Amino acid sequence: MKTALVNAFRATFGRAPEIIARAPGRIEFIGNHTDYNGGTVLGAAIDRGVWVALAKRADGQRRFASDQREGVVALSSDGLARQAGAQSWVNYPLGVLAALPVFSLRVPAGFDYFAMSDLPTGAGLSSSAAIELASGLVFLAATHQTPSRETLVNVGQYAENHFVGVPCGILDQGVSGFGRRDHLVQIDCRGPRFSTVPLPAGAHCWIFNTHTKHALVDGLYAARHGECMLAAKTLGVVLLVEATPATVLAAEHTLAPAPFKRARHVVEEISRVEQAGAALRAGDLATVGTLLTASHRSSQALFENSTAELDFLVDHLVATPPVWGARLTGGGFGGAVMALTSGDFGDTQAKAVAAAYEKKFGAWPDVLPVETGDGAALVAV
Ligand code: ADP
Ligand code: MG
């Protein structure tokens, strides 16, 4: 990847890059819609990501190129105007530049910039956080600054929330920043506090991306968020993390049906994240898998953010013996399913599930085996 990046940089800008960084994509392992309720979530950085190369320019121009887009976007370093249309991908690095001063960090003036990726975009693997963190690292190195990982993560999230305009939680950038090979990242969203949990040997993750997306997904997210906050208010807490499964169950007749179901999902999911952390530490992958599937069933029945496509994949995956568990990953209402499997699950089993899906829904899902990988870092040029 690095050689290809250096070659592409040279071919585009006629010189070698001075700085290179890489940031990984991520999967949401367990903890569905727990983040904005103050709960915990487990994610994993994966072995695919976005690479960014940079060389400074003395003339103040900023030139952006990517292996995924035609041409070079040339901007002056005088302003930071949001880009539209074919150039809108540049809003990710521009958003990072706009975020740096918010965290009292210096901004590089002119540079040549090239992004290259082995991470599918829009597949629920958070290529957006990866490009933000890789961009942040090269911009900071260009200005001789070495902030903490927390700051890098916050800069990326700020860029996405305030410049790109996507109200994502801390999961995407937090896992890309704190990822570690053969580990999961645990985020206590109240701090937020980041830690890692070893992933037992022999555990493999597979992603099945349906490429489906509910037409009303933004409104549905907002509705779920509102129901969670209403449930918290009725229960007399600020965030649902302060409630327990017992207090929510006891309030079944005080809460309206929808807020009750959402709250029950959230508090039980927070408890499943804790149980999954303990089972991982004990090396008990069978229990981890059971919790993953239970998380999906709760999304399906209580949070109601699953779809027929996602349910079909989970049903078929959990009926395949080398699969320990499967669940929707990410916000839901379409998107992708992840499966935790033993090494005996391979292309043959994955294709059988994909073929059954195609027979039912008329489209082949993207099938992607992923391994855990390290978090965002500079790479020696
Ligand atoms: P996800 O984060 O799930 O991959 P998003 O829609 O949040 O999906 O982010 C995808 C967007 O990030 C792309 O449409 C593109 O604008 C930008 N992006 C990610 N990787 C690259 C890359 N290598 N080159 C250019 N743009 C990229
Ligand atoms: Mg994204």
Side-chain angles (χ1 to χ4, degrees), residues 130-201:
I131 193 171
E132 287 152 10
L133 268 66
S135 299
L137 282 170
V138 295
F139 296 153
L140 290 160
T143 44
H144 310 289
Q145 299 174 96
T146 49
S148 66
R149 277 183 206 236
E150 275 88 352
T151 304
L152 179 69
V153 164
N154 289 335
V155 164
Q157 192 194 10
Y158 189 95
E160 183 133 1
N161 292 168
H162 298 280
F163 199 89
V164 178
V166 177
C168 64
I170 195 67
L171 171 71
D172 300 357
Q173 290 81 10
V175 173
S176 185
F178 283 84
R180 190 170 156 199
R181 195 192 155 100
D182 299 326
H183 288 70
L184 299 177
V185 179
Q186 181 163 334
I187 307 180
D188 177 343
C189 299
R190 264 179 301 182
R193 278 191 299 277
F194 304 92
S195 54
T196 54
V197 184
L199 183 65

Side-chain angles (χ1 to χ4, degrees), residues 59-348:
D59 64 0
Q61 265 211 8
R62 291 173 177 159
R63 294 171 168 256
F64 297 90
S66 159
D67 64 333
Q68 298 185 359
R69 301 288 191 276
E70 291 284 312
V72 173
V73 180
L75 303 171
S76 122
S77 57
D78 297 345
L80 282 170
R82 289 189 77 249
Q83 305 294 304
Q87 302 199 165
S88 61
W89 73 272
V90 176
N91 289 329
Y92 293 88
L94 287 182
V96 172
L97 292 169
L100 290 171
V102 178
F103 296 86
S104 305
L105 294 163
R106 296 186 301 279
V107 179
F111 52 75
D112 291 330
Y113 168 110
F114 199 103
M116 185 173 269
S117 174
D118 58 0
L119 183 64
T121 58
L125 297 174
S126 203
S127 69
S128 57
I131 193 171
E132 287 152 10
L133 268 66
S135 299
L137 282 170
V138 295
F139 296 153
L140 290 160
T143 44
H144 310 289
Q145 299 174 96
T146 49
S148 66
R149 277 183 206 236
E150 275 88 352
T151 304
L152 179 69
V153 164
N154 289 335
V155 164
Q157 192 194 10
Y158 189 95
E160 183 133 1
N161 292 168
H162 298 280
F163 199 89
V164 178
V166 177
C168 64
I170 195 67
L171 171 71
D172 300 357
Q173 290 81 10
V175 173
S176 185
F178 283 84
R180 190 170 156 199
R181 195 192 155 100
D182 299 326
H183 288 70
L184 299 177
V185 179
Q186 181 163 334
I187 307 180
D188 177 343
C189 299
R190 264 179 301 182
R193 278 191 299 277
F194 304 92
S195 54
T196 54
V197 184
L199 183 65
H204 299 269
C205 294
W206 288 72
I207 295 289
F208 291 76
N209 182 17
T210 66
H211 288 283
T212 56
K213 190 177 173 186
H214 202 291
L216 303 171
V217 64
D218 291 343
L220 289 164
Y221 273 40
R224 294 296 181 279
H225 185 277
E227 286 160 352
C228 289
M229 297 307 146
L230 176 62
K233 197 173 168 195
T234 313
L235 290 163
V237 294
V238 178
L239 293 173
L240 282 174
V241 67
E242 297 155 53
T244 64
T247 55
V248 172
L249 285 179
E252 176 164 8
H253 302 293
T254 324
L255 291 164
F260 170 71
K261 284 199 275 186
R262 311 312 179 227
R264 186 172 169 197
H265 165 83
V266 169
V267 293
E268 291 179 353
E269 183 77 349
I270 291 170
S271 147
R272 274 188 291 270
V273 175
E274 275 159 31
Q275 293 174 59
L280 285 164
R281 287 182 188 91
D284 180 359
L285 288 166
T287 297
V288 176
T290 304
L291 291 162
L292 296 182
T293 307
S295 163
H296 183 81
R297 297 302 176 209
S298 177
S299 293
Q300 192 178 350
L302 297 175
F303 211 74
E304 297 180 286
N305 61 334
S306 188
T307 61
E309 288 87 347
L310 300 175
D311 294 342
F312 183 92
L313 284 172
V314 168
D315 291 346
H316 276 68
L317 282 162
V318 298
T320 309
V323 174
W324 277 305
R327 60 182 291 274
L328 67 84
T329 178
F333 305 110
V337 161
M338 67 149 283
L340 179 71
T341 77
S342 75
D344 295 334
F345 187 92
D347 280 336
T348 311

